[in-house]
Amino acid sequence: MKIKILPTDQIYKEVADVFSNLITSKEYPILGLATGSTPVGVYNELIKRYQEGKLSFKNVTSFNLDEYVGLDGNHDQSYRYFMNHHLFNHVDIDKNKTFVPLGIGDIKDNAKKYDLMIDAAGGIDLQILGIGSDGHIAFNEPGTPFDALTHEAELTEMTIKDNARFFESIGDVPTRAITMGLASIMKARKIVLIALGKNKVDAITRLLNGEVSLDLPVSVLNTHQDVTIYLDKETFGYLEK
Ligand code: GLP
């Protein structure tokens, strides 16, 4: 596991570089994308590069990690809406090749098909991840088995509280989600995780201590071959000393 401690702006640029390098070097790149506030700076950087004519998403396929159960893609708090708004509407990606798990209809069936679709596309080349304050990745909460594929998950109280800031009231936050499982995420050939801010210190400290436990979902990454963790200098600078 590689660790990079950098100012936030530089993290966005470096991670955008990793994406750009893949997109320009591979004919049909497969991206694994994430929502949350953390990756937005990377998406802004990618949009800028597209607008400057340095990058095209024409041949890109993308798979997002998760979606709230009960929200369709037109709902302004759905992750499909988030992705359109923060990235897809601003670049030349073919929206038919952007996949977000479906949070409506037969969730079990949607979940089963999602992993098959990822595999059929050739698997994810590069997965970007944020992290929840309880150490969740995507919506894999503590206790999720490491061998889980895409599935329906119940959100913890902590996650509901954390995510309430995006909703009018805490009662509006969905309590369930459809999420790629830890095993689906681990299949990605390369993984980049970004953690910004004090509420991530606990989970990151445990991760860097080498913990591998169901109690800390992100810790599954300690068993992956190619992971780079980007930590903001303002919060994590003390680790350099
Ligand atoms: C949600 C998402 C996660 C994300 C987390 C952290 O729970 N399902 O994928 O990592 O939020 O969000 P933020 O980046 O806003 O801290």
Side-chain angles (χ1 to χ4, degrees):
M1 183 176 286
K2 272 187 244 149
I3 298 154
K4 299 204 170 188
I5 301 169
L6 298 167
T8 307
D9 277 358
Q10 217 170 313
I11 292 179
Y12 297 147
K13 289 206 176 95
E14 278 210 18
V15 175
D17 285 344
V18 180
F19 273 97
S20 303
N21 289 341
L22 170 71
I23 294 170
T24 52
S25 66
K26 197 167 178 195
E27 203 178 355
Y28 294 105
I30 315 286
L31 309 183
L33 300 178
T35 52
S37 48
T38 306
V40 172
V42 175
Y43 299 154
N44 288 340
E45 189 62 35
L46 291 173
I47 292 167
K48 191 167 140 232
R49 292 173 193 202
Y50 164 72
Q51 286 168 343
E52 290 167 354
K54 293 178 185 155
L55 201 58
S56 167
F57 292 77
K58 237 176 34 204
N59 294 332
V60 167
T61 297
S62 71
F63 289 94
N64 260 79
L65 290 169
D66 47 11
E67 179 62 280
Y68 289 116
V69 164
L71 305 192
D72 77 26
N74 295 316
H75 192 289
D76 64 0
Q77 289 306 332
S78 72
Y79 283 169
R80 158 54 72 181
Y81 186 97
F82 178 103
M83 288 311 299
N84 287 347
H85 183 75
H86 286 289
L87 182 63
F88 302 150
N89 288 347
H90 310 288
V91 297
D92 61 344
I93 200 162
D94 175 356
K95 278 229 186 95
N96 295 316
K97 291 198 290 184
T98 66
F99 299 95
V100 179
L102 260 186
I104 50 169
D106 182 340
I107 305 295
K108 265 212 178 89
D109 193 52
N110 297 348
K112 202 165 91 194
K113 285 187 181 140
Y114 203 66
D115 286 294
L116 294 176
M117 267 169 10
I118 297 174
D119 290 345
I124 290 169
D125 293 308
L126 171 61
Q127 175 68 59
I128 185 172
L129 293 176
I131 177 173
S133 54
D134 61 1
H136 73 245
I137 49 177
F139 271 129
N140 293 279
E141 297 283 20
T144 308
F146 283 176
D147 63 0
L149 293 170
T150 303
H151 62 282
E152 184 170 359
E154 195 168 333
L155 311 193
T156 59
E157 244 171 75
M158 195 175 196
T159 299
I160 293 173
K161 234 173 38 215
D162 282 352
N163 290 357
R165 67 190 195 278
F166 299 112
F167 291 81
E168 252 173 52
S169 79
I170 191 157
D172 294 331
V173 186
T175 57
R176 304 187 73 77
I178 172 169
T179 181
M180 276 170 65
L182 295 171
S184 329
I185 294 170
M186 285 292 283
K187 285 193 210 165
R189 286 182 272 279
K190 187 180 184 63
I191 296 178
V192 163
L193 179 137
I194 306 176
L196 310 174
K198 292 199 176 51
N199 63 328
K200 311 292 169 75
V201 168
D202 229 47
I204 292 296
T205 307
R206 289 170 65 190
L207 175 69
L208 299 188
N209 281 340
E211 179 174 333
V212 178
S213 74
L214 294 195
D215 199 37
L216 186 72
V218 69
S219 69
V220 73
L221 300 184
N222 272 327
T223 66
H224 192 281
Q225 298 297 313
D226 188 351
V227 180
T228 308
I229 312 245
Y230 290 83
L231 305 172
D232 75 282
K233 205 177 172 106
E234 210 183 318
T235 312
F236 294 94
Y238 69 94
L239 288 173
E240 289 176 322
K241 282 160 209 147

